[in-house]
Each structure stands twice: as structure tokens, then as C-alpha cells.
Amino acid sequence: MPPLESDHGRGFLSQFSASEDLGEHFSPVPEGYQRGRTKFVVVVGTVMSGLGKGIFSSSLAKLLKDKGLSVTPVKLEGYLNIDSGTLNPYRHGEVFVLDDGLETDMDLGTYERVLNQNLSRRNFMTAGQIYTEILECERRGGYLGRDVQMIPHVTGAVKMKLRQLAMGGPKGRQIDVVFVEVGGTAGDYENGFYIEALRELAFEEGDDSACFVALTYIIEPAILGEQKSKAAQLGMKRLMEAGIQPHIIACRAKNEVTAKVAQKISMFSNVPLKRVFSMHDRESIYVIPDAMRAEGLDREILSILKLHDRVDTVAEDKARAIWSGFSARLAAHRDHKITLGISGKYAALRDAYASIDKAVEHCGIELGAEVAVRWLDSSDVDTTARAQNALDGVDALIVPGGFGVRGVEGKIHCVELARTKRIPFLGICLGFQVAVIEYARNVLGWKDAHSTEFDPKSAHGVISELPDQKKLEGIVGGTMRLGAQDVAITPGSLAAFLVGGSKLVRERFRHRYEVDPAFITALETAGLVFSGRHPGQPIMQVLELPVSAHPYFIGAQFHPELTSRPLSPQPLFMGLVAAAIAQKEPAFAQSTLGKRWVRSSTAASTTTASA
Ligand code: GLN
């Protein structure tokens, strides 16, 4: 086992010397931190979780970022896991990997996409991380014989970490606004210490430094046919019992919140009516920032936090023009229609593939295509005939990442069909690996080819454990090859065409297994092209078939979905959707978008020849 001390542990407590007071009023402030300079918007859920706190908070943060303010979000999780890496996607949705390799919750993906900003491990806290740090500090004798308490030590640690986050602004300046999302619901046992820490923080930072937003829910029981505010009122009480008076109330609801309900909520929670907002369901999350602005939510935040002087109106006009262009594309008629199959074992839960779903959506908007996603449960396609049936009418196929043997044979059948029937294909991580296995089995004729993850004894373990991983047997959490790495793209390849040249691209990884270097030459001789590699080691990171052999067959050992953004969709996804459109409508290849994203086989051979 590696030493217990985690990266999270080194952060803040170790910088206190034994002579410092970790005692009665432990409320650490990082050196150079200017109180009151950074403002905090704290979003707390009441009534129930799952209301879209992340979407709310990121949309609001975007509005302020567009005004030229520096912003950063942080999610506070009540659970004891150190990160989200060991959580089952069926229960918690996908694991979102950050650039620095932290395995986080899918909400961090929402923040990165909406804010168009990379986040780091400082943007994600769990109770497990905080307790680990405190217990490690205690074992080092860091508390000088004192008893270690939830207050002040745990709350002090939370405040310290929030302030450290605030210190990481551009050009060494403090961030203007930190958006704090408290996981769960006010009144939950496990997040109580976060709420207390935030209450203390708001007090210590001084007037106009914190804005508490209560995100509540207005029920509308079908049998009554009207909105009822009681549950929201009770939820608000829980927050007030914890010593927090919200400044703003955002009401999630199915339909627009009625004036009567808004008045009641205002009255019972001491929040002026103009600060009670209806955040009812919308057709798309992308219209939420504009809806918030129309209602004046951003103006209220600026007033509460006295931020008017920091607004850059020129930057705001520019950002608004860019976003309006995106909104127009979103609302425009989609000329093209394709059906995209995604064959994974968590097909029943879309959240398990949230970023893939989003990446596909970004491409649909950019290319003017309506993409109907068909989720195929890979455990159900255990024969070629079944796979054929499932793929009937599918114009493009994605085989996503995954762990464990269930559904793997189904994925292999799907890849075989995509390859032989010339269906545009994108394999991601495990999807990349099964494409290698399929090629080895059906083109090289190695019927026993497999990954040693599933068949450790195979003589053709074309996918095998990374050397670094072999040393880590038995430790599950945080031990994979994680985070962003450079990928060197081969000149003249389809991958180079997509990323706009032969260069290094940075993509995020989360895997234990790789193409076994011993089999690379045989696979290449049989026609498989490895067009993306680690710059210094024999780690294969992109595979493809020549465009002369297949219109679009590509796989990535990394997770391209994690870096797709609304305004800059990820190239491998763009190529997939574009290839599918071009197969249905050959004229598309001649359009401006088609010329950019569809690689014709004639162009390919010219580029290859000149490369
Ligand atoms: N199970 C495979 C590995 O660990 C693939 C991982 C993934 O798809 N994220 O290498």
C-alpha cells in the first residue's frame, strides 16, 4: 500500500508549524489572503436533491464571468469517499476526470462545459478528503495535545480550502467570485459541517461578501393541479435554523411559479419578492443563462455583493454576442438527421454517459444535425445476429469506456459490424481496446485475442496491463493512469485531419490497460493504423483505419468527451457525426462544414502522399 497521506492531505494543514495556534478559534487564512476581496455565492438545496444545483450555479457563474469577473466553482460533497473514482456510474452518474487527474462528480463536467474553463482538484471537496487531512495532521502531533473537533477544526479546514481556492485567480490575483455548491440538502446530517463552515466564513469575510442562494422546489401535485409552497417553506426553515438567512430564493418548478406562491415564499423567508426567482423547467440548459439575465438575477447578485465596479461592459457585449450565436444555432432548424447507437453496459442510465451525450449534442448543434441517440445495452447483443438487429438503422456507432467483463463480447460484435458494414465508428477507451481485440480476432485470425483484464491467460493478450499498474495490485481508488497527457498525432492521418494538423493534443485518460507493445507491429502490418501515440513511450492512444478502407473508423484510448465544449466540440465526435451525415447525404461533403469535417478518400491519399 502507498502511504496514507494523500495529495489532498498535503494541501493546507502541513503548512502550519507546531507553534501555531490550531486551538480554540482555528480559522486559518492563507498568507497574503485579502478578506472581503473575493465574494462567495453559496448555493444550498432545500426540499430535495437532484434539482440541478450544478446547472443553476454554473449558469449564474457564467453570467458573471461574461461580465469580465474571474470566477471559479467548488462542489462540496458530504460523502466519505476521497474522490468519485470508486463510485458506481449506475448510482452516481459518470466519473468526470479533471486535467490534473482527479476523478470527480459529473457536475464538475457541467461547470467546465458551461464556464468553458478547466478545473482542478481544488474545485472538489469531499468529507473523506477533509477528514483524511485532519487525521493525518493529528497523527503528526499537529494539534499539540488538543482534542480535535468538528468545530473549529473541520470547519476551519473547509474555510481554509475555500480561501486557498480564492487565491488562485489569474495573474496571481484573488478570484472575484467563488461559487460554492453544497451537495445534498439543507438539514442532511452529512453536510451540516459545510453549512456551518459557510456561515462562519460569511461572518468572517465581512459585509457584502457572501450571497446565499436557497434552491428550493415548488411541488404541484397532479390531484390538486396547483402549486403548493409548504415544502419549500419547511426547507427554508431548516436553512434558517442553521443560522443562514438566504439572500436569494430560486424556485425550481415544473411550470412558472405563480405570483401567489412567490409572495408566500418571500413573506415566510424574509426575502424581498424581487429576489424570489422562478427557475422552472426549460427546453434546454443552454437557455438558462439568458433566462436568468432576463429576470435580473445577475443584477441582484451584483447589488448584494457590491460588485458593480468590477463589471467590464465591453467584455460582456462580446461574450453575449458569442453566446447569442450559439443560441441561434441551437434554435435553428436542423437540416440533417442521423441515428447514433451507443453500446454500453449502463445504457439504462443516461447519466452514466453524460459527457458523451453532451459531446454529441455539441456536434449536432454545430453541424445542424438532429442526432437521435439509440442506447444499446451491450449485454443484450451477445451474438452477431443480435448486434445486427440492434444496429439496424444506426448511422454511426460509439462504443464507450467501461470496466468489467459484462457486455464486452456484445461490444466486440458491434465493432465487427461497424467495421465490416462501413458504419462510422468511434471507440472510447474500452471501446478503443475492443476495436483492437476485434481486429486481432477477425482480421489477424487470433480467435483467442482478448484483454488480460478479462482473460489473463490468453496467448494473444493484445490489451494488457500498463507496467505502472502492475505494481499497484489491490488498490482501487485513484491508481489508474489518470488525467491529461500529450498525444502525438501522426502526420497525414485521419486524426491529423480532424485536429487540424499533426501536432500534440492534450486529452484526458482513465485506464489501467493498453495495447500490448508486443503486438503493435502485427496489428499494423494487418492494416490497423496507430495515429496517436504517447510522445515518449510505446503507448498507443489513437487508432484508425485508412479512409480508403472505411469512411470513419477511429478509436481513442483517452476520453474525448471530457474536453468537448458547447463552443468548441471535440474533433473526433465532429468527424463521427459529419461522416454519418455524409454517408446519408453525399452532397454534405461539399458544404463548408463538410469540407472541414469529412475526409474524402481522394484528399486522404493526396495528404498521405505529401506527408
Ligand atoms: N477497463 C479498461 C482499462 O482500465 C478501460 C477503462 C475505460 O474505459 N475507462 O484500461
XYZ file of all heavy atoms in Angstrom, residues 395 418-425 494 497-498 545-554 575-576 578-580 582-583 597-601 604:
275
model
N -26.797 4.993 -37.970
C -25.913 5.645 -38.940
C -24.490 5.818 -38.415
O -23.580 6.149 -39.176
C -26.462 7.034 -39.292
C -27.893 6.938 -39.804
O -28.122 6.144 -40.721
O -28.770 7.641 -39.257
N -19.664 -2.601 -37.334
C -19.334 -1.237 -37.764
C -18.185 -1.276 -38.771
O -18.180 -0.551 -39.764
C -18.963 -0.383 -36.560
N -17.210 -2.145 -38.511
C -16.047 -2.222 -39.410
C -16.426 -2.816 -40.762
O -16.117 -2.247 -41.801
C -14.932 -3.057 -38.757
C -13.629 -3.075 -39.556
C -12.521 -3.817 -38.839
N -12.885 -5.196 -38.509
C -12.893 -6.197 -39.385
N -12.556 -5.991 -40.648
N -13.243 -7.424 -39.021
N -17.158 -3.951 -40.715
C -17.436 -4.631 -41.986
C -18.561 -3.956 -42.772
O -18.588 -4.031 -43.982
C -17.778 -6.120 -41.747
O -18.839 -6.170 -40.787
C -16.578 -6.877 -41.188
N -19.483 -3.322 -42.067
C -20.606 -2.671 -42.791
C -20.333 -1.182 -43.024
O -21.233 -0.428 -43.353
C -21.911 -2.816 -41.989
C -22.279 -4.233 -41.621
C -23.246 -4.794 -42.652
C -23.644 -6.208 -42.270
N -23.415 -7.194 -43.289
N -19.134 -0.743 -42.755
C -18.717 0.652 -43.004
C -19.604 1.665 -42.279
O -19.974 2.708 -42.816
C -18.689 0.938 -44.510
C -17.703 0.035 -45.266
C -17.852 0.151 -46.767
N -17.572 1.505 -47.250
C -16.373 1.976 -47.524
N -15.317 1.184 -47.362
N -16.192 3.201 -47.956
N -19.995 1.339 -41.052
C -20.745 2.295 -40.233
C -19.727 3.180 -39.518
O -18.823 2.655 -38.860
C -21.619 1.560 -39.173
C -22.590 0.590 -39.842
C -22.368 2.563 -38.284
C -23.332 -0.330 -38.872
N -19.837 4.512 -39.638
C -18.899 5.372 -38.913
C -18.832 4.988 -37.438
O -19.872 4.774 -36.792
C -19.479 6.779 -39.120
C -20.161 6.690 -40.455
C -20.761 5.295 -40.477
N -17.596 4.898 -36.922
C -17.395 4.326 -35.592
C -16.388 5.140 -34.794
O -15.360 5.572 -35.313
C -16.875 2.882 -35.754
C -16.272 2.310 -34.492
C -17.086 1.842 -33.464
C -14.882 2.244 -34.324
C -16.526 1.322 -32.287
C -14.320 1.724 -33.165
C -15.152 1.264 -32.142
N -6.066 10.432 -40.456
C -7.416 10.963 -40.255
C -7.435 11.810 -38.979
O -8.031 12.894 -38.939
C -8.406 9.788 -40.127
C -9.823 10.111 -39.671
C -10.524 11.056 -40.639
C -10.647 8.816 -39.528
N -6.090 15.152 -39.711
C -7.094 15.939 -40.450
C -8.113 16.532 -39.463
O -8.482 17.700 -39.543
C -7.788 15.018 -41.470
C -9.024 15.605 -42.088
C -8.918 16.557 -43.101
C -10.294 15.212 -41.659
C -10.075 17.105 -43.671
C -11.438 15.757 -42.219
C -11.324 16.706 -43.229
N -8.540 15.728 -38.498
C -9.587 16.184 -37.569
C -9.082 17.258 -36.609
O -9.767 18.240 -36.361
C -10.135 14.998 -36.767
C -10.907 13.951 -37.576
C -11.147 12.713 -36.735
C -12.217 14.512 -38.098
N -8.635 3.295 -39.222
C -8.462 2.568 -40.470
C -8.305 3.626 -41.550
O -8.896 4.701 -41.449
C -9.686 1.691 -40.759
C -9.832 0.440 -39.891
C -11.108 -0.316 -40.252
C -8.614 -0.482 -40.070
N -7.505 3.330 -42.601
C -7.357 4.329 -43.665
C -8.722 4.663 -44.270
O -9.595 3.793 -44.360
C -6.485 3.607 -44.696
C -5.889 2.445 -43.986
C -6.767 2.099 -42.837
N -8.896 5.920 -44.678
C -10.201 6.323 -45.217
C -10.531 5.546 -46.488
O -11.696 5.369 -46.841
C -10.237 7.848 -45.468
C -11.631 8.307 -45.836
C -9.797 8.580 -44.221
N -9.506 5.033 -47.158
C -9.786 4.219 -48.350
C -10.462 2.901 -47.963
O -11.165 2.286 -48.755
C -8.481 3.933 -49.081
O -7.548 3.406 -48.150
N -10.272 2.449 -46.720
C -10.839 1.169 -46.292
C -12.168 1.334 -45.563
O -12.995 0.419 -45.524
C -9.849 0.451 -45.370
N -12.368 2.481 -44.951
C -13.576 2.682 -44.141
C -13.836 4.185 -44.040
O -12.886 4.960 -43.843
C -13.332 2.101 -42.730
C -14.569 1.979 -41.904
N -15.233 3.076 -41.386
C -15.282 0.895 -41.495
C -16.294 2.665 -40.700
N -16.346 1.342 -40.748
N -15.094 4.603 -44.169
C -15.332 6.054 -44.159
C -14.945 6.739 -42.854
O -14.491 7.881 -42.856
C -16.841 6.183 -44.403
C -17.410 4.828 -44.148
C -16.316 3.831 -44.414
N -15.092 6.027 -41.737
C -14.717 6.667 -40.460
C -14.626 5.599 -39.378
O -15.641 5.143 -38.835
C -15.753 7.725 -40.051
C -15.263 8.623 -38.923
C -14.522 9.755 -39.197
C -15.527 8.314 -37.587
C -14.055 10.578 -38.181
C -15.068 9.118 -36.559
C -14.341 10.258 -36.867
O -13.893 11.071 -35.864
N -13.429 5.194 -39.097
C -13.234 4.179 -38.069
C -12.076 4.665 -37.216
O -10.927 4.702 -37.638
C -12.891 2.835 -38.717
C -12.893 1.674 -37.754
C -14.037 0.880 -37.603
C -11.762 1.361 -37.008
C -14.038 -0.196 -36.719
C -11.762 0.294 -36.106
C -12.913 -0.491 -35.966
N -12.402 5.080 -36.000
C -11.367 5.712 -35.174
C -11.595 5.309 -33.709
O -12.741 5.069 -33.291
C -11.369 7.251 -35.388
C -10.028 7.881 -35.004
C -12.509 7.937 -34.660
C -9.785 9.244 -35.653
N -16.042 14.543 -36.351
C -15.765 13.690 -37.506
C -16.784 12.565 -37.624
O -17.237 12.225 -38.719
N -17.173 12.010 -36.475
C -18.126 10.895 -36.478
C -19.485 11.353 -37.012
O -20.053 10.732 -37.916
C -18.286 10.361 -35.047
C -19.298 9.239 -34.890
C -18.695 7.914 -35.364
C -19.760 9.090 -33.440
N -20.227 14.052 -38.682
C -20.119 14.529 -40.063
C -20.053 13.355 -41.035
O -20.694 13.378 -42.093
C -18.886 15.415 -40.205
N -19.294 12.307 -40.677
C -19.186 11.146 -41.572
C -20.546 10.474 -41.735
O -20.908 10.027 -42.831
C -18.165 10.149 -41.018
N -21.311 10.423 -40.644
C -22.638 9.796 -40.717
C -23.562 10.615 -41.619
O -24.316 10.054 -42.427
C -23.224 9.665 -39.312
N -22.613 12.566 -44.063
C -22.122 12.467 -45.440
C -22.490 11.132 -46.090
O -22.694 11.059 -47.290
C -20.609 12.665 -45.468
N -22.591 10.092 -45.265
C -22.973 8.805 -45.854
C -24.430 8.821 -46.301
O -24.797 8.206 -47.282
C -22.759 7.685 -44.841
C -21.348 7.124 -44.944
C -21.252 5.700 -44.489
O -21.816 5.340 -43.461
N -20.567 4.870 -45.219
N -14.961 18.767 -42.048
C -15.043 17.610 -41.149
C -15.133 16.238 -41.811
O -15.004 15.224 -41.135
C -16.232 17.777 -40.175
C -15.996 18.923 -39.239
C -16.626 20.132 -39.236
C -15.023 18.992 -38.189
N -16.121 20.938 -38.263
C -15.137 20.269 -37.591
C -14.071 18.100 -37.688
C -14.323 20.670 -36.525
C -13.263 18.497 -36.631
C -13.400 19.768 -36.061
N -15.390 16.227 -43.144
C -15.475 14.907 -43.793
C -14.227 14.725 -44.634
O -13.935 15.547 -45.511
C -16.723 14.811 -44.708
C -16.807 13.406 -45.300
C -17.986 15.167 -43.931
N -13.519 13.672 -44.386
C -12.302 13.458 -45.147
C -12.608 12.528 -46.318
O -13.004 11.381 -46.126
C -11.241 12.823 -44.274
C -9.907 12.954 -44.971
C -8.828 12.332 -44.166
N -7.548 12.918 -44.535
C -6.414 12.313 -44.350
N -6.376 11.142 -43.791
N -5.290 12.892 -44.713
N -12.444 13.049 -47.527
C -12.729 12.187 -48.667
C -11.501 11.308 -48.907
O -10.374 11.690 -48.587
C -13.035 13.030 -49.907
O -11.847 13.614 -50.359
N -11.718 10.128 -49.501
C -10.589 9.213 -49.648
C -9.572 9.760 -50.636
O -8.378 9.518 -50.507
C -11.060 7.821 -50.026
O -12.077 7.915 -50.959
N -7.489 12.210 -48.820
C -6.650 11.493 -47.857
C -5.390 10.972 -48.520
O -4.293 11.146 -48.022
C -7.429 10.342 -47.247
